[in-house]
Amino acid sequence: MIPTSTVPVRITEVCLRDGSHAVAHQFTVEQVREVTRALDDAGMHYIEVSHGDGLGGSTLQYGRSLVDEMKLIEAAVEQCKQSKVAVLLIPGIGTVHELKQAHSLGAKLVRVATHVTEADVSAQHLQVARELGMEALGFLMMAHSAPVDVLVEQAKLMESYGAQAVYVTDSAGTLLPEQVQERVRALRNAVSCEIGFHAHNNLSLAVANTLIAIQEGATRIDSSVRCLGAGSGNTQTEALLAVLERRGVDLGIDLFKMMDLAEDIVAPIMHRVPEVNKGSLAMGFAGVYSSFLLHAERAGKRFGVDPRNILIELGRRKAVGGQEDMIVDVAAELAKQK
Amino acid sequence: MIPTSTVPVRITEVCLRDGSHAVAHQFTVEQVREVTRALDDAGMHYIEVSHGDGLGGSTLQYGRSLVDEMKLIEAAVEQCKQSKVAVLLIPGIGTVHELKQAHSLGAKLVRVATHVTEADVSAQHLQVARELGMEALGFLMMAHSAPVDVLVEQAKLMESYGAQAVYVTDSAGTLLPEQVQERVRALRNAVSCEIGFHAHNNLSLAVANTLIAIQEGATRIDSSVRCLGAGSGNTQTEALLAVLERRGVDLGIDLFKMMDLAEDIVAPIMHRVPEVNKGSLAMGFAGVYSSFLLHAERAGKRFGVDPRNILIELGRRKAVGGQEDMIVDVAAELAKQK
């Protein structure tokens, strides 16, 4: 029940990136400064700062940021005495130009994120990151939606491009404990780089799934303080640290300082408390993107079917972002079957 | 990963009893009616209705109920076509008189709750409940705070008094998955009656721990819709059902109806969203009663020590309710050690 790897477990705090979704990308420079200062003081390993959809995400489509993320990255870097600032980059949204800019401002690590079947689009960005001397990690999103052998094959691709770790990213918060175990174990047996794990709490399993990932050898762990992330939030940092400490695992991060930070600095910033609600649970249950929810509700109304049945069918068909048209087709079919 | 028992798993929804704490015992008759009607319609097995501290809990010490719990029990019974109404009774707070009254109003099941080392005080109430023809179950609270062999011995006592199930009750939300496994397994091997499990989400592990309990053979499971319970709430009913359904386990409770009820009926009643916050996490980490928190904060201030260190030391000493005096002693000792 303790980490099986000899590589130490390192946490990336994602509240200033995944949490950006939860505050509609309205972080201020002062908020980023205050949160980063406290995280650094507690000994956090990495602090990710970017638009929720990664570098360059501030657009009409993904939501405009209140403050240019480069300013936020700069503010975070200034506060760090021991923590390193990380950024997220989704090729197609973010560019090499933005990666270089973030690096020049002091970002030390990038996670290059792609859909689980599209690792090939990460090659250029991973290579550039390595050339810049950054830590370059690969992030396989919606990891539940591909068979395990495909996940493994895609992780190997990322490793071949220079990724120093590959993440099982449970974007829809839908993986069950046994599915996390199977995926991390399969990667552990297939790649030489580190394995990472990123959870969402939509089924209320994020902390437990993260413990299993660590047990199976994952050493790069994402979490968000006070659960500040998209959907039901991520693995709650301070809860994870408390459980690990109870198990005798010391990551060098001060639990009490993290608890204080959660209560005194992060909670007051939050627009709402991340909880397992109808929308996030439907997402976790069906294994689909959160952006499908609203479309499914509209189509459900139009065709007189429960939007959750639409989401479940979309999950079965492994619908991905950009396939929103499929939603109306599915709704029409379900209406016919009734 | 599916239930190992041949006895079907049955859920007791506790939002109208454990959730009473979270709304300061201010449930109205109309709220109880509405929640019960929807739970019954969804096919919930048992619905517990009592003051948060069980029958007779409405006192200055434990908090006055807005409405006499007997009126709430009556209102709940009236709404039930298929669900059964349950009550909680802590000997010393509730009496045989109140048990008989609840039974005469239509309550079909009672959980007689004692501290994990005090099963002997449950004898009379369990026997009376059996004589009344009620289902009579034993509830061993703060189950983490006794060694496993003591838990087993106390469960055997309850069984000998007529308990048809004995619960591992994680009152402080402090058990780790491996501790749940060990406890349920030990009981499974020691008693012939059913095993129950009651969790709190203070370490964000309630759903995962409940899955483990079920795997180990627990068949009586407590959960609360929308997490409406004391501390960080309990195992969230609709999240648990979603995970079980994903595993192919059908308990005969309608998931979508539970999700609707959580969103449309229960969420609007809640005074605050149950989350893993500083207080509940400290409780789960230290394994102490929530009622110690305020005392520890006061003593911490007086002696200049972190209240969490006081709580941790109290957890080590297995302090129980009524031993609040110990808090000042611990604070003074910690201050000396500094």
Side-chain angles (χ1 to χ4, degrees):
Chain A
M1 290 297 195
I2 51 167
T4 51
S5 171
T6 53
V7 176
V9 170
R10 276 168 291 181
I11 308 279
T12 300
E13 168 61 51
V14 298
C15 74
L16 294 175
R17 199 277 305 162
D18 211 315
S20 173
H21 291 296
V23 299
H25 317 293
Q26 299 300 296
F27 282 131
T28 66
V29 169
E30 194 39 57
Q31 287 169 344
V32 168
R33 260 198 208 119
E34 215 184 345
V35 172
T36 306
R37 192 185 307 133
L39 284 169
D40 179 74
D41 182 52
M44 179 52 62
H45 306 132
Y46 298 93
I47 304 167
E48 191 171 60
V49 183
S50 305
H51 182 278
D53 295 290
L55 296 178
S58 177
T59 56
L60 270 183
Q61 190 183 355
Y62 297 108
R64 290 265 187 217
S65 299
L66 178 66
V67 177
D68 181 341
E69 62 195 335
M70 295 301 168
K71 286 206 178 120
L72 300 181
I73 291 167
E74 198 174 13
V77 169
E78 280 169 10
Q79 297 301 323
C80 287
K81 291 179 193 151
Q82 49 182 339
S83 306
K84 289 177 182 166
V85 170
V87 294
L88 182 81
L89 189 151
I90 302 177
I93 300 177
T95 63
V96 165
H97 173 72
E98 282 149 339
L99 177 61
K100 288 183 174 170
Q101 202 182 344
H103 170 253
S104 74
L105 293 171
K108 300 289 185 204
L109 180 152
V110 61
R111 282 107 67 86
V112 180
T114 76
H115 185 69
V116 62
T117 54
E118 296 172 3
D120 58 328
V121 303
S122 69
Q124 187 200 4
H125 301 85
L126 286 168
Q127 285 156 4
V128 169
R130 292 297 300 268
E131 285 160 19
L132 291 168
M134 296 176 83
E135 280 189 83
L137 315 182
F139 216 59
L140 289 168
M141 298 188 291
M142 299 293 271
H144 73 283
S145 66
V148 175
D149 59 333
V150 172
L151 175 74
V152 165
E153 162 206 299
Q154 298 289 307
K156 281 181 169 173
L157 275 183
M158 282 186 160
E159 186 179 31
S160 77
Y161 306 145
Q164 294 154 297
V166 182
Y167 283 75
V168 175
T169 305
D170 185 14
S171 317
T174 191
L175 287 176
L176 301 181
E178 57 271 27
Q179 296 177 311
V180 173
Q181 184 172 47
E182 187 187 12
R183 278 162 179 74
V184 174
R185 192 175 285 181
L187 289 191
R188 184 66 291 152
N189 293 329
V191 297
S192 311
C193 65
E194 286 184 68
I195 313 294
F197 182 65
H198 174 100
H200 281 270
N201 200 35
N202 299 347
L203 294 175
S204 201
L205 292 172
V207 170
N209 281 350
T210 301
L211 293 174
I212 286 168
I214 292 174
Q215 250 167 261
E216 291 295 329
T219 50
R220 297 286 186 151
I221 297 299
D222 280 12
S223 63
S224 64
V225 59
R226 199 73 172 202
C227 245
L228 182 55
S232 303
N234 308 94
T235 302
Q236 192 167 343
T237 309
E238 61 277 27
L240 176 68
L241 291 173
V243 172
L244 289 175
E245 198 161 319
R246 282 273 305 281
R247 283 185 175 172
V249 180
D250 178 8
L251 300 186
I253 302 170
D254 188 306
L255 172 61
F256 288 179
K257 285 185 178 175
M258 288 301 302
M259 288 167 73
D260 290 339
L261 152 66
E263 192 89 2
D264 304 332
I265 301 176
V266 173
I269 292 175
M270 304 198 310
H271 294 189
R272 57 168 193 85
V273 175
E275 58 183 327
V276 179
N277 60 21
K278 198 169 167 177
S280 63
L281 183 55
M283 205 178 140
F285 184 63
V288 295
Y289 276 108
S290 55
S291 59
F292 285 5
L293 290 178
L294 198 62
H295 294 286
E297 273 167 20
R298 280 196 205 122
K301 217 170 208 172
R302 186 172 149 203
F303 291 93
V305 296
D306 191 310
R308 288 166 293 199
N309 285 323
I310 302 174
L311 293 173
I312 290 168
E313 184 55 31
L314 289 168
R316 272 197 207 107
R317 298 188 187 186
K318 318 277 184 215
V320 298
Q323 294 185 305
E324 282 78 3
D325 290 351
M326 202 194 273
I327 296 174
V328 173
D329 298 343
V330 166
E333 281 176 45
L334 289 176
K336 241 187 252 169
Q337 286 166 24
K338 279 216 302 190
Chain B
M1 290 296 197
I2 52 168
T4 51
S5 171
T6 53
V7 176
V9 170
R10 276 168 291 181
I11 308 280
T12 300
E13 169 60 50
V14 299
C15 74
L16 294 175
R17 198 278 305 164
D18 211 316
S20 172
H21 291 296
V23 299
H25 317 293
Q26 299 300 296
F27 282 130
T28 66
V29 169
E30 193 41 53
Q31 287 170 344
V32 168
R33 261 198 207 119
E34 214 183 348
V35 172
T36 306
R37 192 186 305 134
L39 284 169
D40 179 75
D41 182 52
M44 179 52 63
H45 306 132
Y46 298 94
I47 304 166
E48 191 170 61
V49 183
S50 305
H51 182 278
D53 294 290
L55 295 178
S58 177
T59 57
L60 269 183
Q61 190 183 355
Y62 297 108
R64 290 264 186 218
S65 300
L66 177 67
V67 177
D68 183 339
E69 63 195 336
M70 295 301 168
K71 286 207 178 117
L72 300 181
I73 291 166
E74 197 173 14
V77 169
E78 279 169 9
Q79 298 300 322
C80 287
K81 290 179 192 150
Q82 50 182 338
S83 305
K84 289 177 180 165
V85 170
V87 293
L88 183 81
L89 188 151
I90 301 177
I93 301 179
T95 63
V96 165
H97 173 72
E98 283 149 340
L99 178 60
K100 288 182 175 170
Q101 202 182 345
H103 170 254
S104 74
L105 294 171
K108 300 289 187 205
L109 181 151
V110 61
R111 282 107 68 86
V112 180
T114 76
H115 185 69
V116 62
T117 54
E118 297 172 3
D120 57 328
V121 303
S122 69
Q124 188 199 3
H125 301 84
L126 285 168
Q127 284 156 5
V128 170
R130 291 299 299 269
E131 284 160 20
L132 291 169
M134 297 177 82
E135 281 190 82
L137 315 183
F139 216 59
L140 289 167
M141 298 188 292
M142 299 292 273
H144 73 283
S145 66
V148 176
D149 58 332
V150 173
L151 175 73
V152 164
E153 163 206 300
Q154 298 290 306
K156 281 181 170 173
L157 275 183
M158 283 187 161
E159 187 180 29
S160 76
Y161 305 146
Q164 294 154 297
V166 181
Y167 283 76
V168 176
T169 305
D170 185 14
S171 316
T174 192
L175 287 175
L176 302 181
E178 57 272 27
Q179 295 177 310
V180 173
Q181 183 172 47
E182 188 187 10
R183 279 162 178 74
V184 175
R185 192 175 285 181
L187 290 191
R188 184 67 292 153
N189 292 330
V191 297
S192 311
C193 65
E194 287 184 67
I195 313 294
F197 182 65
H198 173 100
H200 281 271
N201 200 35
N202 299 348
L203 293 175
S204 201
L205 291 172
V207 169
N209 281 350
T210 301
L211 294 174
I212 286 168
I214 293 174
Q215 251 166 261
E216 291 296 329
T219 50
R220 298 285 187 151
I221 297 299
D222 281 10
S223 63
S224 63
V225 60
R226 199 72 171 202
C227 245
L228 182 56
S232 303
N234 308 94
T235 302
Q236 192 167 343
T237 309
E238 61 278 26
L240 176 67
L241 291 174
V243 172
L244 289 175
E245 197 161 321
R246 283 272 306 280
R247 283 185 174 171
V249 180
D250 178 7
L251 300 186
I253 303 170
D254 189 305
L255 171 62
F256 287 179
K257 285 184 178 175
M258 289 300 302
M259 287 167 73
D260 290 340
L261 152 66
E263 192 88 3
D264 303 333
I265 300 176
V266 173
I269 292 175
M270 303 197 313
H271 294 189
R272 56 167 194 84
V273 175
E275 58 182 328
V276 179
N277 61 21
K278 197 169 167 177
S280 63
L281 183 55
M283 205 178 139
F285 184 63
V288 295
Y289 276 107
S290 56
S291 59
F292 285 6
L293 289 178
L294 198 62
H295 295 287
E297 275 167 20
R298 278 195 207 124
K301 217 168 209 176
R302 186 170 148 203
F303 291 92
V305 296
D306 192 309
R308 288 167 291 200
N309 286 324
I310 303 174
L311 293 173
I312 290 168
E313 183 56 30
L314 289 169
R316 271 199 207 106
R317 297 187 187 186
K318 317 279 184 215
V320 298
Q323 294 185 306
E324 282 78 4
D325 289 352
M326 202 194 272
I327 296 175
V328 172
D329 299 343
V330 167
E333 280 177 46
L334 290 176
K336 242 187 249 169
Q337 286 167 23
K338 280 216 304 191

